[in-house]
Amino acid sequence: MAKPRLPAPGSAAAGPTDPTTDEVYAYTSRLRLDPRRANPDGWRVDWQDGPWPVKVYTGGQRLRLRPGDADPLGAALHRVLYGCFAISRVRSDPAGGVHASPTDPRPHHGPEVLLRRPVPSGGAMYPTEVYTVLTGTDQVCHYDPYRHELVRLAGGAAARAVRDALGPPAGEPPAPALLVLTSRYWKNFYKYGDFSARLGSVDAGVALGRALRLAGAEAGPARVLSAFDDAALGAALGLDGAEEGAYAVVTLGDPAVPSGFGPTVADAAPAVLERSRTVKRSAEFDALQRAVRTRPRSPRPASEGGHAGDAAVHPAGDPAEAFALPPPRAVDLLAPAVLARRASRGRLFNGAEAAAGSLATVLHHGTGALRRLARACPDGLGARAVGTELYCAVHRVRGVPAGWYRFLPDACALLPVGAGPDEGCARQVHEALFAASFNAELAAFTVHVVTALDWRRAGGPRAYREEQLAVGAAVEGLTLGASAEALSGHAVLGFDVARVDRAYGLDDSGSGTQAQVCVGALRADPNWEIAVMPR
């Protein structure tokens, strides 16, 4: 039986007023600049009252996904969902993992057996859930990543309500399946508090990038929808908007090939079980979620002052000094061994040099993930992907001077910016970390994801969520590219962005760093990690 959830002291009060756009902007700016002070004084993590590692439904009809399903849609769902969301690896860690929060570094011994998924996630929280809408059979299901099954939630009217909330063009046949990506707030909030307002969106963007990559490989180019009616979509899925919100939708399959795949028996709707007795939230966190649920407005034209927020402002740099990289290597990012490899397995780099070709490959696939998202999403999310860029701090790459660079994707070159050549850049990257949980200075290079900072001109608070989704998509491409090069890609959001911005010459430019991925070879891992497959 589910434990009753008790009201949390200090939770958001009932009947809140909507914040102004400037108030939301001030909140999100604090999350980027100083996540250590994002939470109220005295914030502590109750490790014993955390949520389940997966969202748990009890009851309802289940449909197991299997490789080689006779129905092409069933086989495609197996490959996409397993390659992105499934619990695909089990890791042993006698130390109980690394359990800390930005404001609570006290040691905590967590589980010695950790459940891992194919995509990186902040703190291995995996807050992103996925729901499938099977349009051929009008079924709405939740994906159970533990059992690799679809759990039927509703049918008929609910499936049609999902399509209505998305507002597809009149006369366009729906895709055989829609993958609705949501963020379950408590999965992150219990550990990270207010910082999870940013972390959850980036995590969803990582999952979105992988889901789009795999869906496109199944039946041609997939589409991404993000300008939908949040409240209507959440209601169609049976979600409580205060606890979970829909962030993006990915189409799967060829609309010209209908499918009858789906549950055949309409059982009673299942119920959600929650492990935690106390589910906390903050007033500012809730205010942000209410604000981003508002449909985005059209961006102001750049002529009204400043830039439109869709493109980063470049620091000064002499194009004649650009350092040409070798062509990216030909690697198969969809190879099972690449998809299965944990991007950040282990935590300690060994200080080995990387080849310039490896650097070019990782940067190329980070940019490629952004371009794929821009092609798939014609609305504001696509614009945010276009305006997202990659910068790089080279620590130790053969033939490339150490220093600070902006990546020029069309030329496959590095342009020195800010401090330019700098033998001490690796140490600066390490010292900018808020928590020294790994040795960033011994990575071969560090990639920083950069966006324009003032999203108020790009369509209001909804643009902030779209910006963070695009950042996550870039992180997915970078970490997968690192895996293809047999390197580790360790993503971090909590670092001194002001210090890194200064090194790149971005301070006072209107643009700034949002995330970083340290890439390099790892020391031997004393812990074991094995792959698991659905039965």
Side-chain angles (χ1 to χ4, degrees), residues 405-444:
Y405 299 90
R406 177 166 68 91
F407 179 53
L408 306 178
D410 293 333
C412 194
L414 294 176
L415 178 65
V417 293
D422 180 4
E423 291 292 335
C425 74
R427 189 63 194 170
Q428 288 196 54
V429 169
H430 183 79
E431 291 175 350
L433 293 175
F434 287 145
S437 56
F438 71 105
N439 53 351
E441 78 277 12
L442 291 185

Side-chain angles (χ1 to χ4, degrees), residues 32-33 198 391 447-451 453 471 493 495-502 504 506 511-516:
R32 188 186 85 93
L33 290 169
R198 179 169 172 236
Y391 285 61
V447 183
H448 289 93
V449 184
V450 172
T451 73
L453 296 177
V471 169
L493 295 186
F495 60 97
D496 187 344
V497 294
R499 178 172 183 168
V500 175
D501 288 351
R502 285 194 299 272
Y504 283 121
L506 289 168
S511 299
T513 50
Q514 297 279 0
Q516 73 176 32

Side-chain angles (χ1 to χ4, degrees), residues 339-353:
L339 290 174
R341 187 180 296 124
R342 282 291 305 147
S344 57
R345 183 176 58 85
R347 305 184 69 85
L348 296 179
F349 294 103
N350 64 10
E353 284 187 326

Side-chain angles (χ1 to χ4, degrees), residues 149-169:
E149 296 174 338
L150 297 181
V151 183
R152 183 188 182 278
L153 304 182
R160 292 189 291 273
V162 168
R163 296 198 295 271
D164 290 343
L166 298 177

Side-chain angles (χ1 to χ4, degrees), residues 45-412:
V45 181
D46 185 354
W47 297 109
Q48 302 305 316
D49 197 36
W52 298 115
V54 300
K55 185 176 183 180
V56 177
Y57 280 94
T58 179
Q61 185 188 6
R62 291 176 173 267
L63 180 63
R64 178 162 294 173
L65 298 172
R66 294 183 174 87
D69 194 294
D71 188 293
L73 180 59
L77 284 167
H78 158 73
R79 289 189 291 269
V80 173
L81 296 177
Y82 184 80
C84 184
F85 299 98
I87 292 174
S88 59
R89 303 186 77 82
V90 176
R91 178 176 173 80
S92 170
D93 188 347
V98 177
H99 288 263
S101 70
T103 55
D104 189 1
R106 296 177 300 177
H108 169 74
H109 190 89
E112 296 184 5
V113 177
L114 309 176
L115 306 180
R116 309 304 296 269
R117 306 195 196 185
V119 295
S121 173
M125 294 290 99
Y126 305 107
T128 305
E129 300 288 334
V130 61
Y131 299 80
T132 63
V133 181
L134 308 172
T135 59
T137 54
D138 271 351
Q139 303 288 343
V140 176
C141 304
H142 172 259
Y143 174 64
D144 182 341
Y146 184 77
R147 295 180 174 86
H148 194 50
E149 296 174 338
L150 297 181
V151 183
R152 183 188 182 278
L153 304 182
R160 292 189 291 273
V162 168
R163 296 198 295 271
D164 290 343
L166 298 177
E172 179 180 318
L178 304 172
L179 307 180
V180 184
L181 276 59
T182 72
S183 184
R184 189 160 164 79
Y185 306 136
W186 180 237
K187 281 293 298 296
N188 264 345
F189 196 95
Y190 102 94
K191 177 177 178 181
Y192 293 105
D194 280 86
F195 184 57
S196 63
R198 179 169 172 236
L199 181 60
S201 295
V202 174
D203 266 23
V206 173
L208 172 61
R210 181 65 57 83
L212 177 60
R213 183 187 304 278
L214 295 175
E218 290 298 324
R223 294 176 57 208
V224 173
L225 308 174
S226 67
F228 43 73
D229 185 330
D230 286 45
L233 182 55
L237 297 174
L239 306 182
D240 181 339
E243 297 184 356
E244 186 174 354
Y247 279 16
V249 178
V250 180
T251 66
L252 176 63
D254 185 349
V257 183
S259 173
F261 181 79
T264 57
V265 180
D267 287 352
V272 178
L273 296 182
E274 177 61 70
R275 176 179 180 270
S276 303
R277 292 182 58 86
T278 300
V279 177
K280 296 183 288 186
R281 200 80 72 245
S282 78
E284 287 183 301
F285 181 99
D286 285 348
L288 172 63
Q289 301 310 325
R290 292 196 306 275
V292 298
R293 283 197 288 269
T294 303
R295 279 181 176 270
R297 56 176 172 78
S298 299
R300 299 180 201 171
S303 60
E304 292 188 15
H307 55 85
D310 287 341
V313 177
H314 302 146
D318 185 356
E321 297 179 358
F323 188 92
L325 293 174
R329 303 180 195 269
V331 294
D332 182 6
L333 298 189
L334 298 179
V338 173
L339 290 174
R341 187 180 296 124
R342 282 291 305 147
S344 57
R345 183 176 58 85
R347 305 184 69 85
L348 296 179
F349 294 103
N350 64 10
E353 284 187 326
S358 295
L359 171 59
T361 301
V362 172
L363 291 170
H364 170 74
H365 287 297
T367 299
L370 290 167
R371 291 178 170 176
R372 178 182 296 104
L373 181 58
R375 290 193 301 267
C377 191
D379 56 26
L381 176 55
R384 246 53 72 204
V386 169
T388 303
E389 297 191 320
L390 303 181
Y391 285 61
C392 186
V394 174
H395 306 179
R396 45 184 62 80
V397 176
R398 287 190 293 275
V400 183
W404 307 88
Y405 299 90
R406 177 166 68 91
F407 179 53
L408 306 178
D410 293 333
C412 194

